[in-house]
Amino acid sequence: MQLFVNLPVKDLDRSKEFFTGLGFTFFGMAEGMASVVINQETQVMLLTEPVFSTYVAKEIADAGKATEAILVLGMENPEQVDALVDKALAAGATPAGVKQEDGVRYQRGFADLDGHHWEALCLVQPAS
C-alpha cells in the first residue's frame, strides 16, 4: 500500500527548492503540482492552492494560523533528526512543536514555508 499526502502551497517553485534543499527528490511533476518522494511507499504531493481547491469542497486551511495535521518523518538516529531540522531551519522554516527527548524518542519539528507542521522522530530501541 502507498500513501500520498496532498498539501496546498502558495509558491510551488519556492516549495520545490525548499524540499530539494532538505535532500528530497521529486516524481511526477505536472502543471501546478509536484510529488516529494519520501520513500517507495510515501509521497507528499505539493499542489498550488488553485489546483488543490479543485479536489476539495471546503475552504483551504491556512496552515500558518491553524494546525490540521502533523507530518512525522521516522529517522534512524538523533543525528539525522538534527540534520534534517537544522537544514529546514536554515532554508527558511520556523521551529514548530516542542523538542522531545525522553529516552524513548528524540523528536524535533519545523513549519515549512507554507506553515505545514513537520516532525523528525527517532524512536530509541530499548537495550536488550
Side-chain angles (χ1 to χ4, degrees):
M1 183 178 303
Q2 293 182 311
L3 174 65
F4 298 91
V5 176
N6 295 280
L7 296 177
V9 299
K10 295 186 184 320
D11 183 332
L12 185 59
D13 289 334
R14 187 177 91 151
S15 293
K16 286 172 25 184
E17 183 177 324
F18 175 79
F19 285 101
T20 298
L22 298 185
F24 292 103
T25 59
F26 285 83
F27 174 81
M29 291 183 276
E31 185 68 33
M33 63 179 73
S35 182
V36 181
V37 176
I38 305 298
N39 60 36
Q40 273 187 300
E41 290 80 30
T42 308
Q43 294 181 36
V44 175
M45 305 292 293
L46 305 176
L47 293 90
T48 61
E49 289 180 346
V51 172
F52 189 90
S53 69
T54 67
Y55 291 95
V56 298
K58 298 179 187 176
E59 180 180 341
I60 297 173
D62 182 346
K65 295 181 181 177
T67 302
E68 182 176 15
I70 299 173
L71 304 155
V72 181
L73 300 170
M75 311 303 279
E76 305 237 346
N77 56 57
E79 293 77 20
Q80 289 179 337
V81 169
D82 287 337
L84 179 67
V85 174
D86 291 345
K87 277 185 195 176
L89 297 175
T94 56
V98 177
K99 180 179 177 181
Q100 303 288 326
E101 188 172 14
D102 59 14
V104 177
R105 65 185 163 176
Y106 182 76
Q107 183 172 341
R108 290 177 59 201
F110 63 90
D112 68 20
L113 303 178
D114 287 282
H116 303 292
H117 187 152
W118 294 79
E119 293 281 334
L121 166 70
C122 171
L123 295 176
V124 179
Q125 299 298 320
S128 309

